[in-house]
């Protein structure tokens, strides 16, 4: 038997069962079965007493005698019922499907052990279909018994827990011939790991709880270690093999703008990040940097200054955003900042007219166009640059790998890459999934910005909320009302956008109201946005289309209707649309009276903090890492043991361990590290390529 052996040749399986197991569980080899870990364990070393039973007991073992065995007919169905007594009390046993043989074989009035799942109804305990062992035949079983993932389809065909326990037990006997070590001796000694063979024996059939915990820890460590190793090797390769155009000069474009056009003093964090970027781009290696910064922290300014360095070195830049409204916002902001500089900036989206496209294509190829802002339209084959030196991607998790790769291919030597996100990424995720990138964080808000005050209000408070909005408008401010729906929902009793618009117009009769939603045409969206941004409308009623990219410094109040229907990340992004000026701003979360536990946590978190990183940690606990990473489009988080939320200490430890090893042995060529290299090449090489950014 080898790890590659098909499971049909494993004792107790055969071709038909192998086919069924492969269909239902995706298991086809001996190695797959070894990695088919139990989901929990039964402790058959403990014997409970009936008088001590609690509803929280799940699978339990009792010792006593069966009495009062009888068949009970209810309509057309028959069940077998019995009393079970120990020296502390009595409970019911029941069999809903049974044979004449079972009825005859049940050991009535004999000392037995029963084992099974406890049922509780009206404070009465019972156990359906218990496992039974006569005391004199009982094996001494001090180990924890594994319970494996299963399904009704398997159980109906006789592939129950006992079947899987026996099959895996047979494979475990072969473990000494199957498994080689994948960790060097010095790590095993340092961390006091179980050997790899004992790890697998104790994950399937633990000698004790302590042995299980040691086995589980080693498997978690391994998963994180080799995952981190993949990214670290990729980063190392990138820094030594990936060519890029060096940008040695900081010249007139940058200096002139910095001295004459900069509208405000940069924060310390912006200056630090710019320095990190500047040092990267000096080298003849492609920059690969992630720029994290909360909503309104000044990422766009950093992006523009970086593009000016590219211009000083004779290269073009491109900024790509996932939506038209965000691309338009970036374009407007950059164009305004560059007023009077003579620098050519253009916008390319799906709505750009053919005549305008033609000019953009010509100017890009001739080199006249220095900065292009756009959406996916930038990726079209027709869009050719003379010398693209810098590619900036905003909210990169919304773009697929193939799309990003198309942008890199628009220059012979790949452009420097700056990836920006306003979605704060929890530290454990950044360490795990972006460790092949250099990470910069803008953790400081511009001077003069006041923290947004967030309040939770319910329907009974609506009159008060409307009155507060009127007071703000009278001070010369503007207000957003955000709704989760565009059309009437037949199943959910929530206000839709049109009802919301009517309601607002009825209650704010003396003010101008405009509306914005995703189904409007681009020119209609622009008109509505400009009407609000210019101050002609005091109120904007909108859907989440304003989540990103809308910048109206005079807007000081954001009322989010049915706030319980939004995710934390979305609520935080929406709140960031206010508080962009010097005045105090407010975010009011309107909810129904009945809130789920998760909704309460989200609302409470929003009220208590403006810190995007704290919010992201809570968000990950509520939603899990997959949604935050956007991995649905680009490869799923498929750790078997490692939990990205609970196991942050292991992730930190493995990252440190990997970095330390590669510091002294970057090619893993030393004899003691060959076990790591061989295992990585066999199992992990190319596994995490989905997250590759360059």
């Amino acid at each position: 038997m080898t790890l590659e052996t098909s499971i049909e040749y494993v004792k107790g399986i055969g071709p038909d069962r192998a086919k069924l197991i492969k269909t239902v569980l995706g298991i086809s080899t001996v190695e797959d079965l070894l990695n088919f870990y139990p989901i929990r364990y039964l402790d058959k070393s403990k014997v409970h007493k009936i008088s001590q039973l609690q509803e929280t007991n799940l699978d339990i073992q009792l010792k006593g005698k069966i009495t009062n065995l009888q068949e009970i007919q209810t309509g057309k169905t028959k069940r077998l019922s019995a009393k079970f007594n120990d020296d502390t009390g009595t409970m019911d046993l029941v069999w809903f499907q049974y044979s004449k043989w079972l009825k005859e074989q049940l050991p009535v009035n004999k000392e037995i052990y029963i084992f099974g799942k406890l049922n509780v109804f009206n404070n009465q305990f019972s156990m359906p279909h218990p496992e039974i062992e006569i005391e004199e035949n009982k094996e001494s079983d001090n180990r924890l018994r594994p319970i494996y993932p299963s399904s009704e389809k398997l159980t109906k065909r006789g592939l129950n827990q006992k079947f899987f326990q026996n099959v895996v037990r047979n494979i475990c006997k072969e473990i000494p011939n199957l498994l080689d070590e994948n960790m060097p001796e010095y790590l095993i000694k340092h961390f006091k790991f179980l050997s790899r063979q004992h790890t697998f024996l104790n994950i399937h059939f633990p000698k004790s709880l302590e042995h299980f915990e040691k086995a589980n820890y080693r498997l978690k460590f391994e998963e994180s270690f080799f995952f981190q190793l993949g990214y670290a090797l990729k980063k190392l390769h990138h820094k030594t093999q990936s060519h890029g155009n060096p940008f040695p000069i900081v010249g007139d474009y940058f200096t002139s703008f910095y001295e004459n056009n900069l509208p405000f003093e940069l924060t310390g964090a912006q200056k630090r990040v710019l320095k990190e970027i500047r040092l990267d781009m000096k080298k003849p290696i492609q920059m690969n940097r992630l720029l994290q910064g909360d909503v309104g922290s000044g990422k766009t300014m950093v992006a523009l200054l970086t593009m000016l360095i590219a211009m000083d070195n004779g290269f073009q830049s491109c900024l790509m955003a996932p939506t038209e409204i965000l691309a338009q916002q970036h374009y407007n902001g950059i164009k305004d900042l560059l007023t009077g500089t003579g620098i050519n900036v253009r916008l390319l989206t799906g709505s750009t007219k053919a005549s305008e496209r033609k000019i953009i294509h010509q100017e890009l190829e001739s080199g006249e166009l220095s900065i292009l802002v756009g959406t996916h339209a930038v990726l079209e084959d027709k869009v050719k640059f003379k010398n693209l030196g810098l590619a900036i991607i905003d909210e990169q998790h919304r773009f697929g790998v193939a799309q990003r790769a198309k942008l890199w291919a628009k220059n012979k030597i790949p452009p420097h890459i700056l990836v920006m996100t306003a979605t704060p990424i929890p530290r454990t995720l950044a360490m795990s999934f972006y460790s092949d990138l250099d990470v910069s964080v803008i953790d400081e808000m511009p001077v003069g910005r006041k923290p947004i005050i967030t309040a939770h209000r319910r329907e009974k408070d609506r009159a008060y909320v409307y009155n507060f909005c009127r007071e703000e408008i009278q001070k010369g401010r503007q207000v957003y009302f955000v709704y989760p729906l565009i059309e009437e929902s037949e199943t959910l009793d929530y206000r839709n956008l049109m009802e919301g618009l009517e309601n607002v117009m009825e209650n704010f009769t003396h003010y101008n109201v405009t509306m914005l939603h995703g189904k409007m045409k681009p020119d209609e969206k622009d008109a509505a946005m400009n009407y609000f941004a210019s101050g002609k409308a005091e109120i904007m009623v909108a859907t989440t289309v304003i989540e990103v990219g809308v910048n109206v410094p005079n807007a000081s109040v954001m009322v989010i209707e049915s706030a319980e229907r939004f995710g934390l990340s979305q609520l935080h992004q929406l709140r960031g649309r206010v508080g962009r000026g010097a005045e105090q701003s407010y975010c009011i979360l309107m909810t129904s009276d009945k809130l789920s536990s998760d909704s309460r946590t989200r609302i409470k978190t929003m009220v208590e903090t403006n810190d995007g990183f704290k919010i992201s940690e809570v968000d990950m606990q509520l939603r899990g890492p997959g949604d935050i990473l956007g991995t649905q489009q680009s490869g799923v988080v498929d750790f078997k043991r490692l939990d990205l939320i609970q196991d942050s200490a292991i992730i930190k430890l493995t990252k440190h361990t990997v970095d330390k090893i590669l510091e002294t042995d970057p090619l893993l060529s030393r004899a003691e590290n060959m076990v790591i290299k061989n295992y990585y090449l066999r199992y992990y090489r190319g596994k995490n390529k989905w997250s590759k950014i360059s």
Side-chain angles (χ1 to χ4, degrees):
M1 187 189 287
T2 68
L3 291 173
E4 287 80 30
T5 299
S6 169
I7 58 168
E8 70 177 283
Y9 301 113
V10 172
K11 187 181 174 184
I13 297 185
D16 291 342
R17 283 173 166 176
K19 194 176 176 184
L20 179 63
I21 291 168
K22 187 177 180 182
T23 304
V24 177
L25 297 171
I27 290 171
S28 55
T29 67
V30 166
E31 187 170 28
D32 293 340
L33 266 177
L34 268 180
N35 291 312
F36 181 55
Y37 301 127
I39 46 173
R40 57 193 174 90
Y41 300 86
L42 304 180
D43 186 354
K44 290 199 78 174
S45 64
K46 271 186 193 166
V47 178
H48 292 256
K49 296 284 187 184
I50 290 174
S51 63
Q52 296 167 344
L53 294 181
Q54 296 176 358
E55 287 194 35
T56 51
N57 295 131
L58 295 170
D59 297 280
I60 59 157
Q61 181 171 241
L62 298 157
K63 183 184 177 183
K65 290 180 181 178
I66 292 177
T67 59
N68 297 19
L69 186 65
Q70 56 178 314
E71 287 183 296
I72 298 169
Q73 184 98 27
T74 310
K76 291 181 180 178
T77 60
K78 229 196 285 189
R79 72 179 187 272
L80 192 60
S81 178
K83 295 291 179 189
F84 181 81
N85 309 296
D86 67 8
D87 54 7
T88 70
T90 303
M91 65 182 282
D92 290 323
L93 305 183
V94 62
W95 294 263
F96 295 103
Q97 292 174 329
Y98 63 96
S99 61
K100 186 182 174 189
W101 178 86
L102 174 75
K103 183 186 168 189
E104 289 168 357
Q105 293 297 314
L106 281 173
V108 180
N109 289 318
K110 280 188 181 176
E111 200 71 39
I112 61 167
Y113 288 91
I114 63 167
F115 193 88
K117 194 175 283 295
L118 197 64
N119 266 9
V120 186
F121 183 71
N122 286 340
N123 290 325
Q124 296 294 312
F125 293 107
S126 65
M127 188 181 287
H129 302 271
E131 285 181 34
I132 295 173
E133 286 182 274
I134 297 170
E135 184 174 23
E136 62 240 40
N137 299 338
K138 182 173 166 62
E139 295 173 28
S140 64
D141 189 356
N142 294 324
R143 294 193 176 211
L144 296 167
R145 184 181 288 192
I147 298 295
Y148 293 97
S150 189
S151 73
E152 199 178 335
K153 195 173 182 180
L154 291 170
T155 311
K156 275 184 177 174
R157 296 276 293 272
L159 277 66
N160 55 17
Q161 287 301 324
K162 211 158 195 173
F163 166 82
F164 280 109
Q165 286 161 9
N166 288 335
V167 162
V168 177
R169 193 177 273 114
N170 287 334
I171 289 174
C172 282
K173 288 172 187 170
E174 299 292 324
I175 274 180
N177 307 316
L178 291 173
L179 291 178
D180 295 323
E181 196 46 79
N182 64 0
M183 287 275 163
E185 192 61 34
Y186 66 88
L187 283 187
I188 293 171
K189 279 183 179 170
H190 180 75
F191 291 114
K192 298 188 173 94
F193 286 144
L194 292 177
S195 72
R196 191 149 187 262
Q197 294 180 359
H198 280 102
T199 294
F200 276 86
L201 285 169
N202 281 285
I203 207 70
H204 288 290
F205 299 99
K207 283 183 184 175
S208 65
L209 187 59
E210 187 188 353
H211 279 79
F212 159 73
E213 284 170 352
K214 282 185 173 181
N216 193 39
Y217 185 84
R218 163 136 191 195
L219 288 174
K220 287 183 175 200
F221 187 96
E222 274 185 23
E223 280 191 343
S224 182
F225 179 88
F226 284 103
F227 192 84
Q228 297 280 0
L229 182 66
Y231 278 115
L233 288 170
K234 191 193 295 182
K235 190 172 182 176
L236 209 59
H237 178 268
H238 187 90
K239 290 204 177 298
T240 53
Q241 306 296 322
S242 179
H243 298 299
N245 288 299
F247 291 179
I249 303 162
V250 174
D252 291 344
Y253 286 114
F254 182 95
T255 308
S256 174
F257 177 85
Y258 199 92
E259 289 174 358
N260 306 316
N261 295 69
L262 199 66
F264 48 77
E265 175 69 19
L266 295 183
T267 63
Q270 283 175 309
K271 288 175 182 174
R272 185 189 69 243
V273 166
L274 265 172
K275 191 176 179 183
E276 290 165 354
I277 290 169
R278 169 92 185 86
L279 288 170
D280 275 359
M281 296 197 304
K282 265 186 178 179
K283 300 166 191 167
I285 299 161
Q286 183 199 32
M287 175 175 74
N288 212 19
R289 188 167 282 279
L290 171 69
L291 175 57
Q292 277 187 270
D294 223 332
V295 180
S297 61
K299 293 183 302 299
T300 307
M301 179 58 76
V302 169
L304 173 57
L305 289 165
T306 305
M307 290 191 273
L308 294 175
I309 294 174
M311 284 184 68
D312 279 331
N313 288 274
F315 286 90
Q316 295 165 299
S317 299
C318 167
L319 193 162
M320 192 164 78
T323 63
E324 278 202 22
I325 196 161
L326 185 49
Q328 181 78 52
Q329 187 67 46
H330 278 308
Y331 171 70
N332 291 343
I334 289 168
K335 195 173 153 216
D336 289 349
L337 286 165
L338 293 177
T339 302
T341 62
I343 295 171
N344 192 1
V345 188
R346 288 195 183 272
L347 176 69
L348 179 63
T349 70
S351 314
T352 306
K353 292 174 184 168
S355 55
E356 178 74 7
R357 279 172 185 267
K358 196 175 176 185
I359 295 166
I360 290 170
H361 292 161
Q362 286 170 354
E363 289 185 353
L364 278 178
E365 289 191 59
S366 69
E368 286 174 70
L369 181 54
S370 304
I371 296 172
L372 178 66
V373 180
T375 56
H376 297 77
V378 171
L379 302 173
E380 291 168 9
D381 292 336
K382 287 179 186 174
V383 180
K384 294 185 174 76
F385 292 80
K386 184 182 180 186
N387 53 357
L388 180 64
L390 173 67
I392 299 174
I393 299 192
D394 200 18
E395 299 299 345
Q396 67 86 24
H397 59 276
R398 300 201 190 184
F399 295 99
V401 176
Q403 290 174 316
R404 298 194 299 257
K406 276 189 106 171
L407 190 54
W408 310 168
K410 289 192 179 284
N411 208 52
K412 281 180 186 174
I413 294 177
H416 292 296
I417 308 304
L418 184 65
V419 173
M420 301 197 301
T421 181
T423 308
I425 301 159
R427 193 158 177 267
T428 50
L429 288 194
M431 277 196 295
S432 301
F433 291 90
Y434 295 101
S435 53
D436 58 332
L437 288 166
D438 294 302
V439 180
S440 290
V441 179
I442 302 181
D443 50 9
E444 204 180 332
M445 295 303 272
V447 178
R449 286 271 176 97
K450 293 176 182 171
I452 300 160
I453 294 171
T454 304
H456 176 206
R457 297 287 180 263
R458 300 175 193 269
E459 196 54 43
K460 62 182 173 57
D461 306 313
R462 186 165 291 281
Y464 164 79
V465 170
Y466 281 171
N467 196 42
F468 177 76
C469 291
R470 286 188 204 98
E471 286 172 8
E472 284 295 298
I473 293 169
Q474 281 159 17
K475 291 179 191 171
R477 319 267 190 269
Q478 290 165 279
V479 178
Y480 293 106
F481 282 88
V482 182
Y483 288 82
L485 296 177
I486 296 176
E487 292 164 351
E488 186 66 51
S489 164
E490 292 173 7
T491 53
L492 296 169
D493 185 22
Y494 287 108
R495 298 167 188 277
N496 66 21
L497 187 70
M498 301 317 292
E499 279 180 352
L501 181 67
E502 285 174 30
N503 196 339
V504 169
M505 290 178 85
E506 278 173 24
N507 283 278
F508 294 87
T509 47
H510 301 301
Y511 302 111
N512 291 323
V513 180
T514 184
M515 180 177 70
L516 185 69
H517 62 76
K519 292 192 174 180
M520 292 164 69
K521 290 174 185 171
D523 54 346
E524 291 172 338
K525 283 184 195 170
D526 289 346
M529 204 58 247
N530 291 334
Y531 190 54
F532 187 62
S534 67
K536 290 175 183 168
E538 290 89 356
I539 297 169
M540 170 171 276
V541 175
T543 60
T544 52
V545 75
I546 66 154
E547 179 186 345
V548 288
V550 175
N551 184 19
V552 180
N554 193 46
S556 67
V557 183
M558 161 81 63
V559 179
I560 303 177
E561 299 284 354
S562 304
E564 69 271 28
R565 296 193 57 217
F566 295 88
L568 252 183
S569 173
Q570 206 172 29
L571 287 171
H572 183 58
Q573 290 280 349
L574 285 167
R575 175 168 64 183
R577 296 305 109 207
V578 293
R580 302 179 83 82
E583 304 303 331
Q584 179 63 62
S585 289
Y586 305 87
C587 177
I588 300 169
L589 306 173
M590 299 292 295
T591 73
S592 60
D593 289 329
K594 288 183 181 177
L595 294 179
S596 69
S597 170
D598 280 4
S599 295
R600 272 198 301 275
T601 302
R602 287 196 297 268
I603 301 297
K604 184 171 181 279
T605 304
M606 286 293 293
V607 170
E608 286 176 355
T609 183
N610 279 286
D611 185 329
F613 290 96
K614 282 183 187 167
I615 288 167
S616 73
E617 296 287 346
V618 177
D619 199 22
M620 186 165 79
Q621 286 168 18
L622 292 175
R623 290 197 295 154
D627 290 338
I628 291 174
L629 286 166
T631 49
Q632 274 68 8
Q633 64 161 355
S634 51
V636 181
V637 185
D638 59 354
F639 295 120
K640 282 183 160 67
R641 306 302 293 183
L642 190 73
D643 184 314
L644 288 167
I645 299 164
Q646 307 296 333
D647 297 326
S648 59
I650 294 176
I651 291 166
K652 194 175 176 182
L653 179 62
T654 51
K655 185 167 182 351
H656 175 72
T657 307
V658 164
D659 289 346
K660 213 169 171 186
I661 291 169
L662 294 180
E663 209 175 281
T664 53
D665 188 15
L667 299 175
L668 297 175
S669 53
R670 290 183 182 174
E672 67 267 27
N673 289 327
M674 286 308 287
V675 286
I676 300 175
K677 187 174 188 173
N678 293 338
Y679 187 80
Y680 175 78
L681 290 174
R682 183 177 175 194
Y683 289 99
Y684 282 83
R685 193 178 192 177
K687 246 192 179 182
N688 53 16
K689 65 185 177 187
W690 55 264
S691 66
K692 191 172 182 218
I693 299 223
S694 59

